[in-house]
Amino acid sequence: MNQDKIRVRFAPSPTGPLHIGGVRTALYNYLFAKKHGGDMLLRIEDTDQTRYVEGAENYIIESLQWCGIHFNEGVGIGGPFAPYRQSERKAIYKQYALDLIDKGYAYYAFDSPQELDAARKSYEAEKKNFQYDQHNRLEFKNSLTLTEPEVTAIIESDEPYVIRIMIPENEEILVTDLIRGEVRVNSTQLDDKVIFKSDGLPTYHLANVVDDYLMKISHVIRGEEWLPSAPLHVLLYRYLGWEHAMPQFAHLPLLLKPDGNGKLSKRDGDRMGFPVFPLQWTDPQTKEISSGYRESGYLPDACINMLAFLGWNPGTEQEIFSMDELIEAFSLERVGKAGSKFDPEKAKWFNHHYLQQMSDARLAELLAPELTLKVPHLDNEKLLTVIGMVKPRMTFIHEFWEQASFFFVAPDSYDAKSVKDRWRQDSAEIMKKVGDLLQETEPFYAAVAKHNVMNFITEAQLNTGQVMNALRLLIVGASKGPDLFEIMELIGKEQSLNRIEKGIVALSQA
Ligand code: GLU
């Protein structure tokens, strides 16, 4: 291992918005670092300039901030190993690629894109997969096949070249992974990957290994999609003479679609009706908008709790964990190997829970700005009471108005289905009587009104359900809401009677 201190990194490439799988990777790194009193850094891996997407880096930083995942060092923070953006570290990498050439572990390659394309096509014509490797490297134009003066001449000219790793023949490469155990790969299957590009920048593989080494990373915790690259990384550590300091690897299981059929992709979310991005994202080119957890009304604590469970479990029945509790409970040993199915209903379940934990006063604060636009003289006491009554029915803050508008404004329409099912021929007449009764009800408390209405129902030998349904329709405008007598007490006698009167007229005309 690199050193005693635990140091991890989150190393996204700014190629688009951060998928929740990426947030989970960042979270597991964070939990692991915090648990062991270590450091976590944010490194932006932007050496592939062709895939650079405007705004992605800021998006990544803002997303992680929103989630409460904080870094000790990195882009936007600085630190002892700055800069942390790979494009700003350009000058660092070439010496390592040249060192590998000197030691005979890498070579220059001069094949043009057209030549490589032609080679690929001729392989495909024979139904073979093309890769530049130990089987065919001597058929190409590279420093293994050209003479030294030829190579020097090309390098000194303006002709573009790349540097490729020279994968050894028939060697077993061992990747020790904290989650998968020992993974052995025979080098014959690997290709001679480009490690340094014609634009003067390293590829991901070289930059990643060099930076992990220089930044003294002790553990590489990343998605399973990088496992196939790990043998190459092991070779790079060995060839660069850094094997003693190689970080430990932990490849996290994939996040799967809700039905378990394949990887949860960026497109799945909006197609299946749930966000796959932490924050809303507008594609800078197409202007296409992808929904985000934040904008969809999820609370960061709920997202974190939900993500923590996609691949890890505490080994107990406990499901609700604050960030501090996660830090305490987390261990890589309890991260599974199998892919983890994303469950949109569970995400809602967590949000419901965290919303219930929020104090009524805090919820009132969050709701007030928008509510005051709808309700001119918003009474905070009343708002708090209403919140207390409807919060248990809410999963998202934005559901409040839908659940509670009738506490503040009279219905201006009546739900058609409820009218059809619940408003009968004799309803108007019965409701008039209920109105008269409520007029006489003093004090206008829920319990008193309830007592009077129930007595009336018994004496008139009516059906409780029918009476109450019709009354609810007049007061609320639909078949929903908490206890009707409590609603009436809160809106007051005058408002209740107005609604009954107005409703009878409206529904009798219908
Ligand atoms: N830049 C890589 C990515 O975008 C990082 C992979 C790694 O953590 O090594 O995911």
Side-chain angles (χ1 to χ4, degrees):
M1 221 205 317
N2 220 329
Q3 41 148 28
D4 293 338
K5 176 134 178 144
I6 299 279
R7 285 177 58 80
V8 297
R9 82 302 193 269
F10 182 55
S13 298
T15 55
L18 186 62
H19 182 273
I20 48 167
V23 181
R24 186 197 57 172
T25 300
L27 173 65
Y28 286 14
N29 273 283
Y30 179 73
L31 297 177
F32 182 76
K34 291 283 147 206
K35 166 127 194 170
H36 298 286
D39 290 337
M40 168 156 169
L41 61 88
L42 174 66
R43 186 172 71 221
I44 296 289
E45 301 206 316
D46 59 348
T47 60
D48 187 351
Q49 313 243 293
T50 60
R51 297 187 60 214
Y52 180 82
V53 172
E54 191 68 45
E57 182 183 304
N58 281 341
Y59 177 95
I60 292 167
I61 293 173
E62 201 187 332
S63 298
L64 297 170
Q65 260 167 5
W66 179 71
C67 290
I69 297 172
H70 305 296
F71 295 91
N72 302 86
E73 300 165 27
V75 170
I77 306 167
F81 301 96
Y84 292 91
R85 200 180 278 113
Q86 286 183 330
S87 57
E88 290 170 23
R89 302 170 62 76
K90 187 172 176 179
I92 296 177
Y93 305 107
K94 193 169 184 182
Q95 55 188 301
Y96 298 104
L98 295 180
D99 177 46
L100 290 171
I101 295 181
D102 282 349
K103 293 180 183 158
Y105 295 128
Y107 58 93
Y108 293 105
F110 307 109
D111 317 277
S112 69
Q114 293 76 9
E115 284 162 343
L116 290 175
D117 212 42
R120 174 166 300 111
K121 287 206 173 100
S122 81
Y123 271 72
E124 281 166 4
E126 290 176 44
K127 303 248 174 298
K128 285 196 281 190
N129 245 348
F130 172 67
Q131 63 173 23
Y132 202 119
D133 63 15
Q134 52 199 273
H135 304 103
N136 60 13
R137 60 167 79 107
L138 296 182
E139 294 162 21
F140 292 102
K141 203 169 140 196
N142 53 46
S143 55
L144 307 171
T145 56
L146 302 182
T147 64
E148 234 181 276
E150 284 172 325
V151 169
T152 315
I154 302 182
I155 291 179
E156 280 169 7
S157 76
D158 269 351
E159 228 182 283
Y161 64 84
V162 300
I163 299 175
R164 289 181 182 270
I165 178 121
M166 188 151 67
I167 296 287
E169 275 170 44
N170 197 22
E171 216 177 85
E172 187 175 79
I173 307 166
L174 170 67
V175 179
T176 308
D177 188 280
L178 292 169
I179 295 168
R180 319 212 141 237
E182 296 195 336
V183 180
R184 287 166 208 278
V185 177
N186 190 292
S187 63
T188 311
Q189 301 162 22
L190 304 183
D191 63 328
D192 288 356
K193 281 250 170 348
V194 173
I195 55 171
F196 199 83
K197 296 177 289 166
S198 56
D199 63 1
L201 281 162
T203 57
Y204 154 73
H205 304 289
L206 181 67
N208 188 267
V209 165
V210 166
D211 284 345
D212 282 347
Y213 172 74
L214 295 179
M215 295 178 182
K216 299 193 182 309
I217 296 303
S218 66
H219 291 74
V220 165
I221 304 170
R222 62 184 172 193
E224 189 184 272
E225 63 273 27
W226 299 105
L227 187 59
S229 303
L232 168 61
H233 298 176
V234 168
L235 287 181
L236 284 171
Y237 280 103
R238 185 176 307 158
Y239 294 161
L240 287 163
W242 301 336
E243 213 168 2
H244 63 285
M246 185 163 75
Q248 289 191 262
F249 293 105
H251 288 93
L252 306 175
L254 289 177
L255 280 195
L256 304 176
K257 294 184 205 299
D259 63 6
N261 270 332
K263 207 173 135 180
L264 181 67
S265 79
K266 300 196 172 189
R267 300 238 154 245
D268 287 335
D270 287 328
R271 202 164 51 78
M272 298 187 189
F274 56 82
V276 288
F277 298 114
L279 315 181
Q280 182 172 297
W281 167 258
T282 307
D283 187 292
Q285 232 125 58
T286 63
K287 303 289 171 225
E288 190 189 338
I289 294 176
S290 305
S291 65
Y293 276 85
R294 182 178 65 183
E295 291 74 10
S296 303
Y298 284 87
L299 301 167
D301 292 350
C303 285
I304 287 300
N305 201 154
M306 180 262 301
L307 285 176
F309 271 74
L310 290 176
W312 168 85
N313 73 77
T316 64
E317 294 294 300
Q318 187 181 343
E319 288 192 281
I320 300 299
F321 283 81
S322 65
M323 188 70 104
D324 284 344
E325 288 169 329
L326 285 172
I327 291 169
E328 177 74 30
F330 186 78
S331 74
L332 287 173
E333 288 83 62
R334 297 213 64 88
V335 174
K337 289 193 193 55
S340 195
K341 272 190 242 170
F342 178 75
D343 179 352
E345 290 311 310
K346 197 72 188 185
K348 288 187 194 151
W349 181 88
F350 277 114
N351 211 59
H352 177 84
H353 172 85
Y354 281 94
L355 191 63
Q356 304 314 308
Q357 300 297 300
M358 192 182 276
S359 73
D360 294 354
R362 174 74 188 133
L363 201 46
E365 250 171 52
L366 294 173
L367 287 166
E370 228 183 280
L371 272 184
T372 39
L373 301 176
K374 292 178 168 136
V375 185
H377 304 289
L378 185 65
D379 170 353
N380 202 47
E381 278 303 302
K382 178 175 171 183
L383 175 57
L384 286 172
T385 311
V386 174
I387 288 174
M389 288 166 79
V390 303
K391 195 168 77 172
R393 298 156 187 267
M394 289 165 59
T395 296
F396 298 105
I397 294 176
H398 58 71
E399 289 169 347
F400 180 76
W401 188 246
E402 160 74 17
Q403 301 278 359
S405 62
F406 48 82
F407 282 105
F408 303 97
V409 292
D412 53 10
S413 65
Y414 300 88
D415 175 61
K417 182 163 181 342
S418 308
V419 174
K420 187 164 167 281
D421 295 347
R422 310 206 142 162
W423 190 256
R424 297 161 181 264
Q425 259 190 342
D426 56 357
S427 293
E429 197 187 317
I430 297 172
M431 287 302 115
K432 264 188 206 130
K433 288 187 185 149
V434 171
D436 292 344
L437 184 78
L438 291 171
Q439 174 78 58
E440 301 303 314
T441 298
E442 258 333 310
F444 197 72
Y445 290 158
V448 185
K450 181 172 182 177
H451 176 83
N452 292 353
V453 173
M454 290 305 157
N455 267 349
F456 159 74
I457 291 174
T458 314
E459 278 166 23
Q461 296 187 327
L462 295 168
N463 174 307
T464 312
Q466 275 168 23
V467 175
M468 292 306 293
N469 285 339
L471 186 56
R472 183 176 289 276
L473 196 52
L474 302 185
I475 301 290
V476 171
S479 313
K480 65 176 185 191
D483 184 87
L484 188 57
F485 296 105
E486 285 184 27
I487 298 175
M488 290 200 292
E489 177 181 327
L490 209 59
I491 63 177
K493 186 194 268 189
E494 197 189 321
Q495 179 63 223
S496 300
L497 295 177
N498 278 345
R499 290 190 192 184
I500 293 173
E501 206 176 306
K502 197 179 130 208
I504 292 173
V505 175
L507 294 178
S508 305
Q509 283 165 355

